[in-house]
Amino acid sequence: MRADAAASAARRRRGLAWLRGIAVTVVSLIFALPIVWMFAAAFKTNVQVTDPSVGLFFSPTLENFRNVLADGEILHAMRNSLIVGGVSTALSALIAVPAAWAVGRFRMHRTGSLILVARIIPAISLLVPWYYLFARAGLVGSYTVLILSHMFVSVPLILWIMIGFFEGLPVELEEAARTDGLSAFGAFWRIALPLA
């Protein structure tokens, strides 16, 4: 009697496992379809992309890739993105990490809340004032404007993330470093930053 019940329970578990596997597969296919569709569109002509009767079965072409690479603008755009992204991230980290240490170590919670308000302000609402300021400074169309705009978003984000790391570090480690003769910045640089 028990053997029949155990066999029945095992069959039920196998059936549920199969149903779960089928459900996961169906959901995965549904979510993967837009990605497959975009990938297929890269190998279609402009006419095929806009024609709803052309599905996933067509004669592929590499003409789109030839046009993009022959134009040469993609390399210029990639270089611009690397410069702006790299410089803005480096400068943001240079500013935000020591500030996060100060906010986290000296428990400036009101300052942390003020930083969070800077994250709440939509960057698009500052577009007109920024344009006015940068136009008056003669910086419109330069890397400086893009880098500063990206930093406006990334500095509060890095700062907010890093505050938690510095608050989680024991103060005694930095106090021991200060006792051994390090300055406050030295304790931050040699002890707190590597641990965070």
Side-chain angles (χ1 to χ4, degrees):
M1 195 75 160
R2 285 185 183 172
D4 291 339
S8 172
R11 277 195 302 275
R12 200 171 320 124
R13 278 195 301 270
R14 277 195 301 272
L16 286 174
W18 272 98
L19 281 175
R20 196 175 306 126
I22 291 169
V24 167
T25 303
V26 168
V27 170
S28 298
L29 288 174
I30 290 170
F31 281 108
L33 187 62
I35 297 168
V36 171
W37 194 268
M38 287 189 306
F39 182 75
F43 295 96
K44 293 180 180 179
T45 63
N46 289 342
V47 175
Q48 289 173 330
V49 169
T50 56
D51 186 2
S53 65
V54 178
L56 293 175
F57 304 103
F58 58 92
S59 56
T61 179
L62 294 175
E63 193 62 32
N64 297 329
F65 295 99
R66 282 192 209 100
N67 291 339
V68 167
L69 294 174
D71 186 15
E73 286 298 312
I74 189 81
L75 299 175
H76 181 68
M78 288 173 68
R79 188 194 73 196
N80 287 343
S81 295
L82 282 172
I83 290 171
V84 171
V87 172
S88 66
T89 302
L91 289 176
S92 297
L94 195 66
I95 293 168
V97 171
W101 172 75
V103 170
R105 185 54 63 221
F106 301 112
R107 308 284 185 222
M108 294 186 260
H109 295 294
R110 210 174 269 162
T111 306
S113 300
L114 188 63
I115 291 158
L116 192 59
V117 169
R119 287 284 303 148
I120 294 170
I121 298 171
I124 196 73
S125 66
L126 301 171
L127 189 60
V128 173
W130 276 351
Y131 182 79
Y132 178 75
L133 288 172
F134 291 137
R136 298 277 297 189
L139 295 173
V140 173
S142 66
Y143 286 124
T144 307
V145 174
L146 281 173
I147 291 168
L148 289 174
S149 301
H150 280 79
M151 286 177 65
F152 179 79
V153 174
S154 60
V155 166
L157 179 66
I158 294 171
L159 205 147
W160 191 254
I161 291 170
M162 292 302 293
I163 286 173
F165 285 107
F166 288 118
E167 281 180 342
L169 292 177
V171 182
E172 292 79 18
L173 293 173
E174 292 177 44
E175 288 174 352
R178 297 287 304 274
T179 304
D180 288 341
L182 285 177
S183 64
F185 181 76
F188 158 73
W189 185 255
R190 291 187 177 182
I191 307 298
L193 185 61
L195 290 174

